[in-house]
Amino acid sequence: MGKVHLEIDGNKLEAEVGSMIIEVADKVGIDIPRFCYHKKLSVAANCRMCMVDVSNIPKAVPACATPVAEGMIIQTKTPKAIDAQKSVMEFLLINHPLDCPVCDQGGECELQDLSVGYGEDISRFTEGKRVVEDKNLGPLIATDMTRCIHCTRCVRFGQEVVGIREMGATGRGEHVEIGTYIEGAIESEVSANIIDLCPVGALTAKPSLFKARAWELRQSASIAAHDCLGSNVYVHHRGREIIRVVPRENESINEVWLSDRDRFSYQALTDSERLLKPRIKQNGEWQDTEWETALNAVVSEMKRIIGASNGEDFGVLVGNNITTEESYLAQKFIRGVGCNNIDFRVRRRDFSGDGRGSVRSGFNFPMEKIDHMDATLLIAADLRHEQPLTSLRVRKSTGFGKVMAINPFDGEYNFRLTQELQPEAKMLAQEFAAVLVAADAINPDVLSAEAKEWLNGIEANDTHQQIAKNLVDNEASCILMGVYVQEHPQAEIINWLAESLASVTQSDWGYMTLGCNAAGNKIAGAVPMQSAAGGKSEPGKNAKQMLTSGLKSYFLINCEPDVESVWSKQALQNLQNAECVIALTPFADGRVPEYADIMLPIAGCYETSGTYINVEGKWQSFAASVSAPGDARPGWKVLRVLANLFELSGFDYESSKQVIDELHEKFEAVGDIRVARKVPPPLMQVSEQEASRECLGLYMVDPMVRRAKALQQTPKASTHPISISRVKTI
Amino acid sequence: MTDFNYDQTRHLKKLIPAEEITAIDNWIKKYPPERKRPPIIAALKVVQDHNGNYLTEEMMQAVAEYLDVPHVAVYEVATFYSMFHLDKVGRHVISVCNNISCSLRGADKVIEHLQNRLNIKVGETTEDGLYTIKTVECMAACGGAPMLEVDKVYHENLTEEKIDQILSDIAAVELTQNSSSKQHENDADSSNEFSGEAQD
Amino acid sequence: MTNEVCFRTLHLDTPWSLEAYESVGGYSMLKRIAAGDLCHDTIIDELKLSALRGRGGAGFPTGLKWSFMPRNMPGQKYVVCNSDEGEPGTFKDRDILRYNPHQLIEGMIIAGYVMNATVGYNYMRGEFYEPFERMEAAIAEAKEKQYLGENILGSDINFELHNHMGAGAYICGEETALIESLEGKKGQPRFKPPFPANYGVFGRPTNVNNTESYASVPAILQHGGQWFLDLGKPNNGGTKIFSVSGHVNNPGNFEVNMGLPFADLLEMAGGVLGGKKLKAVIPGGSSSPILPAEVMMELTMDYDSIGKAGSMLGSGAVMVLDETTCIVQLAAVTAHFYYEESCGQCSPCREGTGWMSRVIHRILKGEGRAEDIDNLDRVAGNIMGRTICALGDAAAMPIQGFLKHYRHEFEYMIEHKRSMVEA
């Protein structure tokens, strides 16, 4: 790309050939008013607000649709430009209801802001105003389409970014209406981004409708907790009440977007039944108590059971979205009291790789590279529901690249697949191995003799060959494994196949994980086979062993195995039968109160400081946005106090930062350990029953999401999960 | 949404007869096969003609599925072009031009005469469901102003006598069709859900 | 001389038949091309020499336009005919389609050959049922004779021609809206650049011309660019079809030499209806500003003459208004038209056309206010030049024209609550 030189408002600038005036101005902070233009969307040039004055062009031109040229002199504030902008503003306002006092967008409205600068005090429009009937778009998005200025950002978002056209602009002329035309809830899992995109109050967030005015809110930066991306967010709150959560721009993670799950999960904190005081069950009845009493009860129960069984009959299960500090302290504490039974992997079935000592989870490449992949192979990846924003990145790559899938289910995609294999779940590893066979045929110098021996007898068909060829031929290629892979009984084989295929085809590879902090949990050592940063540990029981064998006592940290585990039925029974279940939880509802004996109220997301480590290995720390309600305390503090009560040394932390710094230092010392697998065990047959399972649905992944009211009312809450146990009927 | 697990063509095939499906297929052939949207207008016209001059939501959805395009893409087209009717209209929609040349040559008198003859206002449909009067913009027949279009035929240089003739011609056609359609109703194809409705 | 180009079969019995067209030399140019006797450079040179300008209204030189198409670029290219004819007052293309369809077909095949496009679409407005039938029949005849299809007349030239129908939207006469509509979308104009020559139908290079433009080509090639140029005046070559309507005794299409005095054209159309006095003329379709009789009677019918007088030749739709015409009423009809037909994409046009229409209708109802006139003029001015396509300008210009020449009629109606012409 060449460069051109130009001048905007007297600033001499250099810009890429082909860029539009508005992009160049934005980069240097020269403000040009606009409504339809958005840097992440195609140029529509329909609002006509961004008119600027360009030398040698008699009429003002739209800055969003006028490419820069060598020697161009652009002025944004001349009478010609201002006159054009003001006249457009007048047109936009004549049919706008000007109901700012009752509009949720008031105070943060692009139309309102610009009308202060470009609008007139008195309207010269004396005809009747347009009124538009509202359509119900479901539980997340409130509409007031009379306010719409037809910028079509929401329409373009669906069409371009999401790839699912639900919103449209029907009718023509003055009667154009933005909407779904027929009434019906928007189904996309990233739908609420149109709320942010809407420059007026036509689309606002339904869960926070009329709850607060923008200027009453305080904003604090945080990290979303429901998928392995770790989207950056702002929490908007008034006092200790969270009013809403909105995306915080981070080009390398969530760009400017947010999944509906990350946006509306906060409702669990404000609208569900919270645990406000420690509780002890006495004769089957819950009694609220003070922290001291409850903690003493925990200590005596733990001493009794751990002492009696040498730690064997006690087990700790940590949840999907607890902070790294919490899981680090949990494992340090529990190992300190002589128990090694700790795990977070309640959905894992294959633990054969546990001894290898890898520290990191997930990706070996930065996520933003997905945008530019010429070939992407998905393995059992239901991206739209696992990591909705990753799906948007993959979609971007389909503008030029190929996306292929070996998915043991009839997936919902927002892009077109060039190759698709739909094996039965039990055949997933077999099918994937055939691709490796095909790749090995193209590039035979990479695999070891042992590996070739392992693959012996597996045959590749045309599709396998085409997939392998696409990965080999394209320099930018990657293999993405979905959450389901790690839940498959042959997870280790599939991981090995992916790693091998990546090296044969020179591709990047990575696997998605459930929840926001699988990497953090693993690095922190909340696993039975290794302590923090891959440190040594006496062997302990893994989640499957703990949940299926029946321990005397369980210690749950924001974890509900009765829902979350693949062993949920056995888990529930064993929890019910246990002598003592200690639950650290923010919530007072669900089934935990049925089987727990002591409940300790801990802070939920956004109520505690902490760190999440995302699937790429990014450590993202955050402060508490609001304080926890009642007597609830941050989990890390509860664990510290428990350790203090056991008089363990090394628990003198005054802040969560000291905790994470300690872990980070250990982690830095060993680095990013990725121990390559040797050849896995032979490819034994598994039954379809063993391999298949129900996914944890889009809005079922963790205790918080399960309690988010509006999300639970969406169509996706009932139509998802899609079943993976689909046996082909052909 | 383009992923459907069922035969996407089935819905439309239930709504219109095979020869009209063929007509749509012939339109589809005019455009590059990877382009799904170009035949939308033509397909909607075929369906609208079959359904007695108007479209229902169900029909628009069936067209979308048949052509493998998002529903809203069809709604957008159906609501943009003035020849599509989204509410029930008469079997004979009389479109009277009232643009410049026609209004210079007495379009208002044409409208008045039609309103008087049919006893309805512009935009209304006669009680028997036979006629709707609609004003339209220029139809490129200004040399024959004033003009109207009904049942795909232009009528130019209108006078009151000519209008009366047009109406009585339609009435005559209706009379013959009515007697034959009565017969049709008796042996109506039950799979064609709209064959009866159009007669209402 | 009349009817020498597009209407050259009109004097024959069934002017639309292949036989009729061939009898006036039809398809002879295609035969020469197929024989390798007429190459694309020569054709473009002849068109440039002829000074043929786009007959749809914008008047862009056709030869130049054709030369912009990247004919050597690999991949599919398209030629598209704009038969959407919707500019109020215009009814010439309908007659070309009905009475001389083969000449359009030959013109499009030649265009396809020149620009290396193997597929053509003829976009007709949705109400053109009769022209559609004629065109379908003509295409079938042409295929039969190997004028269309693969290896035309044994050459290596391929050309498929399809008729496409709109469904009622004036905006589809705008070439990029037409392209969108052809792609099965709402007819909403695209902003330019990119121009259709680079990014047109289905994202491929596309040439869009008006029916009359394509249909003029075979006759120009047959008789030479110089012949065509000499029919008209310099820079305004050839003949033009004028659609004369409104208050004349003999309305209709007249294919005459460019530069014909308006007075002569009026006479050909039988003079003002009922012998009344000429009040004014809208010389080039409803979007061209009105010109009062005394101005108009001095003008010749060509781009430059009408342009100098402050209006446009446009599509050649001449609407004649006699002394009984109420300009406020006319303005109301005009404003309502653009309000109805705005596609709704750009704010100024979407909101401004409705505003103008409502104000004028309010004045008509006797509820006008003194400030309305300046406000109308201001609103029209604020739409001008601020929209993606020319519909905004087309809506504003006539209103400004009415106010410029007949402001007193508006003032009278506001003050007296009745029309000045009734007085």
Side-chain angles (χ1 to χ4, degrees):
Chain A
M1 273 288 182
K3 299 269 185 191
V4 293
H5 302 84
L6 66 152
E7 199 181 301
I8 306 182
D9 290 349
N11 300 283
K12 291 200 176 357
L13 303 166
E14 198 180 65
E16 300 262 334
V17 170
S19 45
M20 299 295 165
I21 293 172
I22 204 165
E23 291 175 71
V24 181
D26 279 356
K27 264 184 203 151
V28 295
I30 295 169
D31 195 33
I32 298 173
R34 87 287 306 268
F35 295 107
C36 70
Y37 174 79
H38 190 280
K39 64 180 178 180
K40 291 285 179 185
L41 303 173
S42 68
V43 171
N46 61 30
C47 78
R48 317 307 284 178
M49 188 67 202
C50 66
M51 302 295 252
V52 294
D53 186 346
V54 174
S55 55
N56 301 326
I57 301 182
K59 298 186 284 190
V61 297
C64 69
T66 308
V68 293
E70 182 60 41
M72 209 178 225
I73 296 170
I74 300 147
Q75 286 177 299
T76 68
K77 307 278 185 301
T78 58
K80 188 160 89 186
I82 297 286
D83 183 47
Q85 293 161 359
K86 282 193 162 183
S87 71
V88 171
M89 178 54 81
E90 181 180 32
F91 285 128
L92 288 172
L93 290 177
I94 62 169
N95 274 310
H96 189 77
L98 302 174
D99 58 345
C100 310
V102 295
C103 174
D104 251 28
Q105 194 87 355
E108 53 179 4
C109 172
E110 292 172 50
L111 186 65
Q112 198 181 34
D113 293 350
L114 288 177
S115 68
V116 173
Y118 299 92
E120 299 287 334
D121 299 342
I122 296 164
S123 174
R124 280 175 285 200
F125 181 76
T126 55
E127 322 307 316
K129 285 194 183 233
R130 172 176 63 227
V131 175
V132 180
E133 192 195 338
D134 281 311
K135 295 272 159 67
N136 186 358
L137 298 184
L140 306 181
I141 301 163
T143 55
D144 194 324
M145 299 319 285
T146 301
R147 295 174 186 149
C148 173
I149 59 167
H150 309 90
C151 72
T152 69
R153 280 184 190 176
C154 56
V155 177
R156 283 175 284 147
F157 174 74
Q159 191 170 343
E160 298 163 12
V161 180
V162 189
I164 305 167
R165 256 169 74 80
E166 295 185 277
M167 299 286 279
T170 54
R172 84 174 180 213
E174 206 184 83
H175 310 293
V176 168
E177 288 184 18
I178 303 289
T180 48
Y181 185 65
I182 53 160
E183 191 143 299
I186 294 218
E187 295 203 9
S188 136
E189 55 288 336
V190 290
S191 66
N193 288 295
I194 61 177
I195 295 167
D196 304 331
L197 288 171
C198 183
V200 297
L203 304 171
T204 52
K206 205 176 256 184
S208 57
L209 193 62
F210 304 136
K211 289 236 165 108
R213 306 301 319 204
W215 55 87
E216 302 170 327
L217 300 177
R218 292 192 54 201
Q219 158 170 302
S220 38
S222 195
I223 302 297
H226 311 291
D227 64 38
C228 63
L229 268 61
S231 292
N232 291 195
V233 298
Y234 280 122
V235 177
H236 287 172
H237 47 93
R238 185 180 48 200
R240 71 153 303 278
E241 188 192 8
I242 296 174
I243 301 295
R244 64 183 177 187
V245 171
V246 298
R248 176 161 55 98
E249 187 169 347
N250 184 335
E251 199 52 35
S252 69
I253 296 178
N254 52 304
E255 305 176 61
V256 298
W257 314 125
L258 199 58
S259 67
D260 291 352
R261 187 164 63 186
D262 284 342
R263 186 187 298 263
F264 294 112
S265 65
Y266 75 88
Q267 271 197 305
L269 303 175
T270 53
D271 289 41
S272 76
E273 199 186 330
R274 297 292 303 268
L275 185 63
L276 300 174
K277 279 183 89 69
R279 283 182 187 172
I280 297 178
K281 206 182 258 171
Q282 284 173 340
N283 304 323
E285 290 288 314
W286 282 112
Q287 304 289 337
D288 281 358
T289 179
E290 296 308 315
W291 270 107
E292 201 180 342
T293 321
L295 288 172
N296 285 334
V298 169
V299 171
S300 73
E301 283 296 296
M302 282 181 71
K303 281 186 173 161
R304 181 175 68 82
I305 293 163
I306 292 171
S309 66
N310 204 14
E312 286 298 301
D313 255 342
F314 192 83
V316 181
L317 291 159
V318 307
N320 263 321
N321 51 9
I322 70 166
T323 65
T324 312
E325 290 81 346
E326 286 165 335
S327 55
Y328 175 68
L329 289 185
Q331 65 85 29
K332 190 178 174 185
F333 162 61
I334 208 68
R335 289 192 163 100
V337 301
C339 172
N340 292 300
N341 305 335
I342 179 165
D343 211 343
F344 69 95
R345 301 166 300 169
V346 295
R347 298 189 63 76
R348 197 173 181 88
R349 272 177 284 205
D350 181 1
F351 296 90
S352 64
D354 271 11
R356 280 185 305 108
S358 279
V359 168
R360 232 179 87 186
S361 300
F363 281 32
N364 75 340
F365 68 104
M367 206 140 39
E368 46 190 330
K369 259 178 94 176
I370 294 173
D371 300 9
H372 310 292
M373 289 294 171
D374 294 316
T376 300
L377 173 62
L378 305 176
I379 307 293
D382 182 16
L383 289 184
R384 279 183 57 190
H385 304 120
E386 293 173 6
Q387 290 80 23
L389 299 186
T390 306
S391 201
L392 302 187
R393 285 195 187 273
V394 173
R395 177 179 158 75
K396 261 197 249 179
S397 80
T398 55
F400 46 86
K402 298 182 171 72
V403 178
M404 306 156 283
I406 305 179
N407 278 352
F409 46 82
D410 204 1
E412 290 177 9
Y413 307 98
N414 49 0
F415 40 78
R416 297 220 180 249
L417 297 172
T418 51
Q419 271 83 27
E420 183 182 13
L421 290 169
Q422 247 186 58
E424 291 169 67
K426 66 176 181 188
M427 296 300 286
L428 180 60
Q430 185 90 25
E431 202 77 32
F432 191 17
V435 177
L436 181 56
V437 169
D440 180 55
I442 302 172
N443 204 355
D445 301 331
V446 183
L447 288 184
S448 67
E450 277 170 294
K452 283 175 196 268
E453 175 64 25
W454 192 95
L455 291 168
N456 201 12
I458 296 170
E459 288 195 9
N461 65 21
D462 285 354
T463 312
H464 301 129
Q465 281 161 1
Q466 195 54 52
I467 292 172
K469 190 174 178 326
N470 288 342
L471 290 174
V472 173
D473 288 354
N474 289 293
E475 205 163 300
S477 58
C478 71
I479 301 158
L480 292 182
M481 289 182 283
V483 168
Y484 169 67
V485 170
Q486 305 313 317
E487 302 174 9
H488 193 277
Q490 294 173 322
E492 284 305 317
I493 293 176
I494 299 170
N495 286 338
W496 174 77
L497 288 167
E499 210 169 338
S500 306
L501 185 63
S503 65
V504 175
T505 61
Q506 303 246 310
S507 303
D508 291 313
W509 72 287
Y511 56 84
M512 309 288 182
T513 48
L514 188 65
C516 66
N517 205 26
N521 279 335
K522 196 165 177 189
I523 290 168
V527 282
M529 67 287 190
Q530 63 200 39
S531 68
K536 287 230 169 355
S537 166
E538 294 295 318
K541 291 192 169 77
N542 61 40
K544 178 186 174 184
Q545 290 161 334
M546 288 188 259
L547 289 170
T548 57
S549 65
L551 302 177
K552 279 202 179 125
S553 178
Y554 292 92
F555 190 101
L556 307 174
I557 308 177
N558 207 356
C559 181
E560 297 176 333
D562 58 286
V563 192
E564 284 160 21
S565 172
V566 283
W567 323 103
S568 57
K569 273 190 192 139
Q570 280 165 284
L572 179 61
Q573 208 163 28
N574 286 324
L575 286 160
Q576 281 165 340
N577 293 340
E579 278 178 26
C580 178
V581 175
I582 300 153
L584 276 64
T585 170
F587 305 108
D589 55 358
R591 301 198 78 159
V592 174
E594 268 178 46
Y595 51 69
D597 300 283
I598 303 172
M599 295 203 292
L600 304 179
I602 57 167
C605 292
Y606 310 130
E607 295 170 349
T608 177
S609 58
T611 303
Y612 292 137
I613 304 173
N614 82 352
V615 74
E616 313 157 282
K618 284 197 177 100
W619 296 48
Q620 302 192 94
S621 295
F622 46 86
S625 300
V626 295
S627 59
D631 286 352
R633 293 288 176 269
W636 72 269
K637 286 190 182 171
V638 175
L639 290 162
R640 186 202 63 195
V641 174
L642 274 173
N644 295 153
L645 291 172
F646 272 90
E647 296 178 347
L648 300 178
S649 62
F651 282 90
D652 307 322
Y653 309 104
E654 281 171 12
S655 68
S656 65
K657 186 168 182 308
Q658 289 174 342
V659 181
I660 203 72
D661 285 350
E662 184 177 303
L663 175 63
H664 197 252
E665 203 172 305
K666 285 178 197 252
F667 179 75
E668 287 292 292
V670 294
D672 178 6
I673 305 175
R674 185 181 289 280
V675 180
R677 288 167 182 82
K678 291 193 180 137
V679 175
L683 190 53
M684 300 289 283
Q685 289 291 323
V686 291
S687 71
E688 183 66 10
Q689 201 190 352
E690 248 183 300
S692 64
R693 59 114 174 89
E694 284 278 294
C695 304
L696 208 48
L698 173 66
Y699 296 141
M700 287 294 283
V701 289
D702 60 54
M704 189 164 161
V705 168
R706 290 194 287 275
R707 287 168 175 82
K709 204 170 58 179
L711 289 176
Q712 294 307 326
Q713 291 161 357
T714 62
K716 270 280 157 70
S718 51
T719 60
H720 194 261
I722 50 176
S723 176
I724 290 219
S725 60
R726 212 183 73 90
V727 177
K728 276 198 177 177
T729 49
I730 303 160
Chain B
M1 263 163 282
T2 51
D3 289 321
F4 295 94
N5 296 322
Y6 56 92
D7 175 7
Q8 286 170 238
T9 66
R10 210 183 59 196
H11 195 174
L12 190 66
K13 283 176 179 167
K14 265 174 67 185
L15 297 180
I16 58 172
E19 62 265 29
E20 285 168 10
I21 292 285
T22 310
I24 293 175
D25 290 346
N26 285 336
W27 280 100
I28 292 172
K29 285 183 201 141
K30 294 182 176 209
Y31 313 99
E34 71 277 11
R35 296 284 166 169
K36 309 287 184 201
R37 289 164 74 166
I40 293 178
I41 291 177
L44 286 175
K45 279 190 180 172
V46 169
V47 174
Q48 172 164 292
D49 282 353
H50 177 78
N51 189 45
N53 285 332
Y54 74 103
L55 293 165
T56 63
E57 280 177 12
E58 186 193 18
M59 294 184 146
M60 291 188 271
Q61 287 159 9
V63 166
E65 283 153 30
Y66 189 80
L67 299 178
D68 190 17
V69 298
H71 289 174
V72 74
V74 172
Y75 304 146
E76 283 183 338
V77 168
T79 55
F80 185 86
Y81 295 96
S82 60
M83 288 171 72
F84 294 119
H85 305 126
L86 303 172
D87 294 308
K88 201 163 174 7
V89 290
R91 287 249 296 280
H92 309 277
V93 177
I94 304 172
S95 301
V96 189
C97 172
N98 66 349
N99 205 286
I100 298 174
S101 299
C102 284
S103 66
L104 291 174
R105 300 296 294 255
D108 50 347
K109 291 202 179 75
V110 172
I111 295 164
E112 201 183 307
H113 186 66
L114 276 169
Q115 291 187 148
N116 290 338
R117 278 293 316 270
L118 298 171
N119 206 18
I120 49 170
K121 297 264 174 251
V122 168
E124 292 177 352
T125 301
T126 51
E127 263 175 37
D128 56 9
L130 284 185
Y131 304 97
T132 298
I133 310 175
K134 177 181 172 185
T135 56
V136 295
E137 300 300 346
C138 183
M139 290 207 274
C142 324
M147 63 83 65
L148 65 77
E149 177 268 330
V150 61
D151 299 336
K152 302 187 179 180
V153 179
Y154 279 23
H155 300 274
E156 303 180 36
N157 301 307
L158 296 173
T159 57
E160 291 194 359
E161 294 71 36
K162 261 194 174 177
I163 295 168
D164 292 343
Q165 186 62 47
I166 294 163
L167 292 177
S168 63
D169 286 352
I170 296 173
V173 172
E174 271 299 321
L175 212 61
T176 46
Q177 267 185 359
N178 228 2
S179 50
S180 67
S181 74
K182 282 252 163 63
Q183 213 155 356
H184 269 289
E185 255 170 58
N186 293 334
D187 48 40
D189 178 5
S190 59
S191 74
N192 188 343
E193 295 165 12
F194 288 86
S195 57
E197 206 167 300
Q199 315 292 333
D200 287 348
Chain C
M1 282 292 284
T2 59
N3 300 348
E4 283 185 280
V5 181
C6 297
F7 285 158
R8 59 184 169 150
T9 59
L10 211 54
H11 62 285
L12 301 170
D13 268 352
T14 48
W16 53 83
S17 66
L18 179 64
E19 194 191 359
Y21 182 54
E22 287 186 322
S23 77
V24 296
Y27 289 115
S28 61
M29 292 302 101
L30 180 62
K31 285 173 184 156
R32 279 185 60 196
I33 291 170
D37 188 25
L38 191 56
C39 77
H40 42 81
D41 289 340
T42 315
I43 295 170
I44 288 189
D45 288 345
E46 288 296 324
L47 286 181
K48 283 182 177 167
L49 177 63
S50 76
L52 173 66
R53 288 167 62 166
R55 299 303 197 217
F60 193 82
T62 306
L64 194 60
K65 191 170 191 175
W66 287 19
S67 70
F68 287 158
M69 275 283 280
R71 78 179 307 277
N72 293 320
M73 195 171 131
Q76 186 64 55
K77 291 175 279 295
Y78 295 97
V79 292
V80 173
C81 177
N82 185 344
S83 302
D84 190 55
E85 190 156 65
E87 178 75 14
T90 317
F91 48 97
K92 65 191 178 64
D93 298 336
R94 175 170 170 247
D95 280 359
I96 296 175
L97 297 165
R98 289 197 297 172
Y99 299 128
N100 197 5
H102 281 287
Q103 191 157 325
L104 169 63
I105 293 171
E106 189 183 9
M108 287 188 74
I109 303 169
I110 294 170
Y113 161 72
V114 169
M115 291 174 271
N116 229 341
T118 57
V119 177
Y121 290 103
N122 176 34
Y123 184 110
M124 281 175 280
R125 58 177 299 162
E127 299 87 345
F128 274 1
Y129 307 105
E130 186 192 4
F132 176 77
E133 296 303 332
R134 286 269 163 83
M135 277 300 295
E136 287 281 288
I139 286 176
E141 279 181 313
K143 273 189 180 160
E144 184 83 6
K145 293 275 263 180
Q146 279 191 45
Y147 295 148
L148 275 173
E150 286 190 13
N151 301 113
I152 291 172
L153 298 173
S155 70
D156 58 359
I157 303 167
N158 303 325
F159 192 74
E160 286 294 339
L161 180 58
H162 303 290
N163 289 313
H164 179 99
M165 296 285 272
Y170 164 71
I171 190 61
C172 292
E174 198 278 342
E175 63 175 359
T176 59
L178 181 145
I179 288 171
E180 287 281 302
S181 180
L182 184 50
E183 291 184 359
K185 304 172 193 164
K186 295 177 291 178
Q188 291 196 326
R190 302 170 175 174
F191 62 85
K192 297 184 267 193
F195 289 90
N198 294 311
Y199 190 91
V201 180
F202 310 130
R204 305 299 310 166
T206 301
N207 181 75
V208 186
N209 274 130
N210 170 252
T211 319
E212 188 183 349
S213 308
Y214 280 125
S216 300
V217 171
I220 291 172
L221 295 182
Q222 205 174 318
H223 301 289
Q226 189 64 48
W227 165 81
F228 189 76
L229 177 65
D230 292 344
L231 291 176
K233 353 195 293 198
N235 199 35
N236 296 271
T239 57
K240 170 88 191 81
I241 304 173
F242 291 104
S243 304
V244 184
S245 68
H247 294 139
V248 288
N249 285 310
N250 179 23
N253 284 316
F254 302 91
E255 185 169 41
V256 297
N257 295 347
M258 284 269 228
L260 182 79
F262 168 73
D264 294 1
L265 183 64
L266 182 60
E267 202 183 312
M268 288 172 84
V272 178
L273 187 65
K276 289 209 172 70
K277 216 175 124 203
L278 180 70
K279 178 170 183 170
V281 174
I282 300 173
S286 68
S287 47
S288 63
I290 193 167
L291 292 174
E294 59 278 16
V295 178
M296 199 63 208
M297 290 305 282
E298 301 302 315
L299 300 179
T300 56
M301 295 306 293
D302 56 82
Y303 296 102
D304 295 344
S305 161
I306 307 276
K308 263 184 218 146
S311 188
M312 303 184 308
L313 189 71
S315 56
V318 180
M319 289 180 276
V320 176
L321 314 169
D322 73 16
E323 58 195 324
T324 66
T325 312
C326 169
I327 299 296
V328 184
Q329 174 68 41
L330 185 65
V333 172
T334 309
H336 182 263
F337 171 71
Y338 290 103
Y339 164 59
E340 277 284 310
E341 298 296 342
S342 168
C343 82
Q345 191 175 201
C346 306
S347 319
C349 175
R350 178 184 65 240
E351 308 295 347
T353 50
W355 193 351
M356 291 196 299
S357 178
R358 287 190 175 88
V359 171
I360 299 172
H361 279 89
R362 187 162 48 71
I363 294 171
L364 261 190
K365 277 203 302 188
E367 293 166 15
R369 292 184 293 265
E371 65 270 23
D372 283 339
I373 296 174
D374 284 341
N375 197 35
L376 259 183
D377 200 34
R378 187 183 66 86
V379 171
N382 282 346
I383 300 172
M384 282 280 276
R386 287 175 184 158
T387 50
I388 288 175
C389 79
L391 193 140
D393 290 7
M397 283 186 305
I399 302 302
Q400 291 190 320
F402 294 136
L403 291 173
K404 179 178 165 195
H405 296 291
Y406 299 95
R407 191 182 170 99
H408 54 281
E409 289 198 25
F410 288 82
E411 287 168 345
Y412 187 94
M413 190 173 284
I414 288 169
E415 194 183 337
H416 299 92
K417 308 196 187 306
R418 62 189 158 88
S419 173
M420 197 173 174
V421 291
E422 289 164 19

